[in-house]
């Protein structure tokens, strides 16, 4: 789903266009190719410096505060953002015990909660179940900023079935890192393409990057097909898109295989989830039919769509499986983004 017109009227996201400082991050559409290259260059530099124990990074966000506001569960996004801020020398605040123990529990709306958090932090990482919630947050933070005399920014950590922009940045960074390019690739996304926000953002980001000669293959149960607005976005930019329910039509020519979880929490009826949860299961046998230099990605967490725990072990040992690398890259990409929106000298 796209954010409703009402949200977009509240806040129209500006392009970064080389100027990240003080800008909210709510959609991948804000990033130009040059912006992505700059974020990836910075992330790779930070990765190097962290590996070498470079302590000067601790000056980057010293004295700055990041808040995490998560209305939905998270391990990687939440913790990698927190770790990123710590590694840049900044501080992190969140409500003790998560939003369940904040005034959200008393019925406070997002507009009021985000303004409270904006009073205390320079940057707020928000995950919320409503599509477009980060646009709403951006609007209220801008209003608040006028009173505060400084501009707290929001970074979306995922808005329901909408987008997950920072995940897409780390995903594309990982593709370029592992394949050495974003061009001349067949990129196959598999699973719950309807509700999975990561595949929405990643598809759009690759198109924004202007990757050449990329074919998109979307493999899913019929009821969980990629939303048409994403397919239209790709077509409008000249990309070939194939949609199918048969993985084997595309598996052996895929360079990037992006597997996803069926988003159980988005199903109104448990029986609808049960009916399709095992339609696409990645196992060592399935991976055995992929190209020897393909990469297997997954935003994680994984469940039955990656087989049994024994399958996990075999898949994890396959050099094509890059999802742990992807997960590790998350922190460096988020460090890069934080440093940029905070205007840190690095
Ligand atoms: N962690 C990813 C997300 O928050 C993917 C998932 O939950 O399946 O969207």
């Amino acid at each position: 789903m796209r954010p409703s017109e009402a949200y977009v009227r509240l806040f129209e996201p500006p392009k970064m266009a080389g100027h990240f400082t003080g800008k909210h991050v709510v959609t991948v559409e804000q990033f130009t190719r040059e912006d992505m290259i700059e974020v990836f260059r910075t992330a790779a530099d930070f990765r190097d410096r962290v590996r070498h124990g470079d302590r000067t990074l601790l000056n980057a966000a010293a004295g700055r505060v990041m808040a995490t506001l998560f209305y939905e569960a998270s391990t990687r996004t939440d913790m990698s953002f927190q770790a990123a801020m710590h590694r840049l020398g900044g501080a992190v605040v969140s409500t003790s015990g998560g939003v369940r123990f904040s005034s959200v529990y008393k019925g406070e709306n997002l507009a009021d909660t985000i303004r409270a958090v904006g009073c205390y932090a320079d940057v707020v990482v928000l995950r919320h179940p409503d599509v477009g919630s980060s646009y709403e947050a951006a609007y209220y933070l801008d209003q608040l900023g006028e009173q505060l005399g400084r501009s707290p920014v929001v970074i979306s950590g995922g808005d329901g079935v909408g987008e997950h922009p920072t995940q897409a940045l780390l995903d594309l960074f990982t593709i370029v890192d592992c394949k050495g390019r974003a061009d001349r690739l067949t990129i196959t996304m598999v699973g719950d393409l309807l509700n999975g926000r990561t595949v929405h953002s990643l598809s759009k980001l690759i198109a924004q990057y202007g990757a050449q000669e990329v074919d998109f293959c979307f493999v899913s149960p019929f009821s969980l097909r990629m939303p048409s607005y994403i397919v239209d976005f790709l077509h409008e930019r000249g990309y070939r898109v194939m949609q199918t329910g048969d993985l084997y039509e595309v598996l052996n020519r895929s360079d990037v295989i992006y597997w996803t979880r069926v988003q159980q929490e988005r199903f109104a009826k448990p029986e609808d989830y049960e009916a399709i949860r095992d339609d696409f299961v990645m196992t060592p046998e399935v991976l055995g039919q992929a190209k020897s230099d393909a990469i297997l990605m997954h935003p994680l967490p994984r469940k039955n769509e990656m087989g049994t725990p024994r399958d996990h072990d075999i898949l994890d040992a396959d050099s094509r499986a890059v999802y742990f690398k992807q997960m590790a890259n998350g922190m460096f990409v988020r460090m890069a983004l934080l440093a940029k929106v905070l205007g840190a000298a690095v």
Side-chain angles (χ1 to χ4, degrees):
M1 242 167 72
R2 263 189 284 222
S4 70
E5 285 302 315
Y7 281 135
V8 182
R9 263 201 306 277
L10 276 184
F11 175 72
E12 203 181 314
K15 285 261 191 283
M16 295 297 166
H19 303 283
F20 294 78
T21 309
K23 287 193 181 147
H24 306 289
V25 179
V26 302
T27 168
V28 292
E29 291 182 44
Q30 294 174 264
F31 292 83
T32 64
R33 179 186 177 91
E34 289 67 37
D35 294 331
M36 292 177 231
I37 291 170
E38 177 55 18
V39 170
F40 298 165
R41 190 197 57 74
T42 310
D45 174 52
F46 285 171
R47 185 170 59 186
D48 241 39
R49 289 164 70 180
V50 167
R51 271 187 195 144
H52 292 103
D54 179 352
R55 312 264 314 160
T56 61
L57 275 176
L58 291 173
N59 300 324
R64 313 301 292 279
V65 176
M66 181 189 86
T68 59
L69 187 59
F70 278 60
Y71 291 73
E72 286 188 334
S74 172
T75 301
R76 275 152 287 269
T77 305
D78 187 6
M79 293 191 71
S80 65
F81 260 115
Q82 293 196 42
M85 192 61 176
H86 284 299
R87 286 185 183 276
L88 294 172
V92 179
V93 293
S94 53
T95 51
S96 318
V99 291
R100 268 177 304 140
F101 293 99
S102 71
S103 289
V104 172
Y105 176 76
K106 302 178 191 165
E108 187 172 61
N109 65 17
L110 177 62
D112 284 353
T113 303
I114 195 76
R115 279 180 288 201
V117 180
C119 288
Y120 315 134
D122 301 300
V123 54
V124 185
V125 182
L126 173 71
R127 172 169 289 185
H128 193 279
D130 293 346
V131 176
S133 47
S134 51
Y135 291 62
E136 183 183 356
Y139 170 79
Y140 284 108
L141 286 178
D142 284 348
Q143 305 266 306
L144 176 78
E146 283 168 26
Q147 288 180 38
L148 294 180
R150 61 177 180 85
S151 322
V153 301
V154 63
I155 300 180
S156 170
D159 61 338
V161 298
E163 277 212 42
H164 196 344
T166 65
Q167 175 78 41
L169 285 166
L170 76 90
D171 288 342
L172 183 55
F173 176 72
T174 304
I175 292 173
V176 176
D177 209 28
C178 294
K179 298 297 295 179
R181 63 183 197 277
D183 302 326
R184 301 180 311 284
L185 295 172
T186 297
I187 300 181
T188 297
M189 302 187 186
V190 186
D192 186 351
L193 307 184
L194 177 69
N195 300 306
R197 55 194 168 203
T198 69
V199 289
H200 303 164
S201 283
L202 180 57
S203 305
K204 290 204 294 181
L205 191 76
I206 292 168
Q208 292 276 118
Y209 188 82
Q212 302 289 306
E213 294 173 54
V214 162
D215 283 343
F216 289 93
C217 301
F218 295 144
V219 182
S220 69
F222 189 77
S223 59
L224 300 180
R225 271 167 310 156
M226 187 65 98
S228 55
Y229 76 90
I230 300 282
V231 176
D232 292 346
F233 188 96
L234 299 176
H235 279 155
E236 282 157 20
R237 285 154 186 81
Y239 288 97
R240 276 188 300 261
V241 178
M242 174 173 178
Q243 301 194 72
T244 176
D246 181 1
L247 176 65
Y248 296 100
E249 257 188 83
V250 295
L251 180 62
N252 64 8
R253 64 181 167 93
S254 303
D255 302 295
V256 175
I257 304 163
Y258 192 102
W259 215 262
T260 66
R261 176 177 72 88
V262 179
Q263 309 277 303
Q264 182 174 6
E265 66 276 29
R266 311 283 178 214
F267 285 74
K269 295 195 215 134
E271 57 274 24
D272 290 348
Y273 166 72
E274 291 299 328
I276 45 84
R277 51 163 261 179
D278 291 324
D279 276 14
F280 294 100
V281 180
M282 171 52 79
T283 62
E285 293 69 38
V286 175
L287 189 59
Q289 301 194 40
K291 284 165 82 165
S292 58
D293 64 347
I295 56 171
L296 174 62
M297 303 178 72
H298 194 305
L300 303 173
R302 60 181 164 183
K303 290 178 62 184
N304 54 296
E305 81 286 353
M306 293 283 262
T308 62
R310 193 179 138 62
D311 291 329
H312 292 181
D313 289 344
I314 301 171
L315 289 170
D316 298 351
D318 193 303
S319 59
R320 288 170 289 186
V322 300
Y323 33 81
F324 295 144
K325 214 180 253 181
Q326 192 182 347
M327 169 168 97
N329 284 338
M331 183 180 77
F332 301 113
V333 167
R334 288 170 175 136
M335 283 174 78
L337 210 52
L338 283 171
K340 299 237 158 268
V341 299
L342 290 170
V346 284

